[in-house]
Amino acid sequence: MLHILYIIAITAEAMTAALSAGRRDMDWVGVCIIAWVTALGGGTVRNVLFGHYPMSWVEHPEYLVITAVAALLAAFIASIMTKLKKLFLYLDALGLVVFTIIGCQVAQEIHLPYLIVLFSGMITGCAGGVLRDVLCNEVPFLFRKEIYASAAIVTGAVYIGVEHFHGSEMLATITAAVIGLALRLLSIRFEWHMPKFVYRDEWH
């Protein structure tokens, strides 16, 4: 089930990434690269940091095909996608919790401390979007007021906590996914935001 959700998540992430590339007038190669970076970048950054190989897209090159096809499809139906913005926000929330849980699982497999497991989940869930925004010359979504990284942290913490005290990976996965997804969707629905730090004074 988690693998199916992962495929859905990377497909949705690739499609929304294509629109970001389109807003920067990129050609089809740029569209595919932005899609790959967004959908697969979080796991890649995690694996590089922890020396965990092979990369998921090296072991499963079909992920590259799936995301590229999804991105190019999005480019052709961009006008339709703008009408489905809310749906893709929900799919993005699903991707966030799925990527986070997978990131936690990978870190556990290589026997990293709990704090690093939590960090691994957050990196996997959020890094792809950061790379996309940087390459598209935008302020990363992660650094704005949206409850995004916070939702990833909560998801990872619930996963670690349930598995530690109950010992069931299945229960931990389901509980973390439900709570993390609920938090992210509620934050979208009710426009919950993190406090912002605003500083304008110059030091010179």
Side-chain angles (χ1 to χ4, degrees):
M1 178 61 72
L2 196 62
H3 184 258
I4 293 173
L5 292 176
Y6 176 78
I7 297 298
I8 295 172
I10 62 173
T11 300
E13 295 288 349
M15 295 182 77
T16 55
L19 299 187
S20 295
R23 284 191 288 268
R24 293 301 178 185
D25 302 327
M26 296 187 187
D27 63 14
W28 67 272
V29 175
V31 169
C32 289
I33 290 175
I34 295 299
W36 290 330
V37 165
T38 306
L40 306 171
T44 299
V45 171
R46 176 203 65 223
N47 287 353
V48 170
L49 287 174
F50 301 142
H52 182 69
Y53 301 101
M55 301 294 179
S56 62
W57 49 270
V58 173
E59 191 172 13
H60 300 282
E62 63 271 19
Y63 295 167
L64 296 173
V65 177
I66 291 170
T67 48
V69 170
L72 294 175
L73 174 63
F76 283 108
I77 63 169
S79 59
I80 298 175
M81 285 188 60
T82 57
K83 301 175 183 178
L84 301 174
K85 183 178 179 180
K86 186 166 289 188
L87 171 62
F88 280 94
L89 278 175
Y90 294 160
L91 290 175
D92 178 76
L94 175 65
L96 176 66
V97 299
V98 170
F99 293 158
T100 299
I101 292 170
I102 291 173
C104 290
Q105 291 176 343
V106 169
Q108 285 180 322
E109 288 173 5
I110 53 180
H111 309 294
L112 295 175
Y114 283 135
L115 181 60
I116 306 304
V117 171
L118 185 61
F119 180 74
S120 174
M122 185 184 71
I123 286 291
T124 309
C126 302
V130 173
L131 293 173
R132 174 202 61 216
D133 292 341
V134 169
L135 290 174
C136 292
N137 197 29
E138 298 177 359
V139 176
F141 189 74
L142 178 65
F143 302 148
R144 291 178 245 169
K145 59 185 179 179
E146 293 284 343
I147 295 179
Y148 201 80
S150 304
I153 292 172
V154 169
T155 301
V158 171
Y159 176 83
I160 294 168
V162 172
E163 188 177 53
H164 176 75
F165 290 107
H166 190 274
S168 170
E169 183 177 305
M170 179 65 72
L171 179 62
T173 298
I174 294 173
T175 306
V178 169
I179 292 176
L181 189 60
L183 175 60
R184 178 61 186 141
L185 293 181
L186 287 172
S187 73
I188 295 172
R189 173 66 178 82
F190 296 106
E191 299 182 352
W192 295 343
H193 297 137
M194 294 292 290
K196 294 193 297 183
F197 174 58
V198 180
Y199 186 79
R200 297 286 185 263
D201 290 345
E202 297 291 343
W203 281 37
H204 54 79

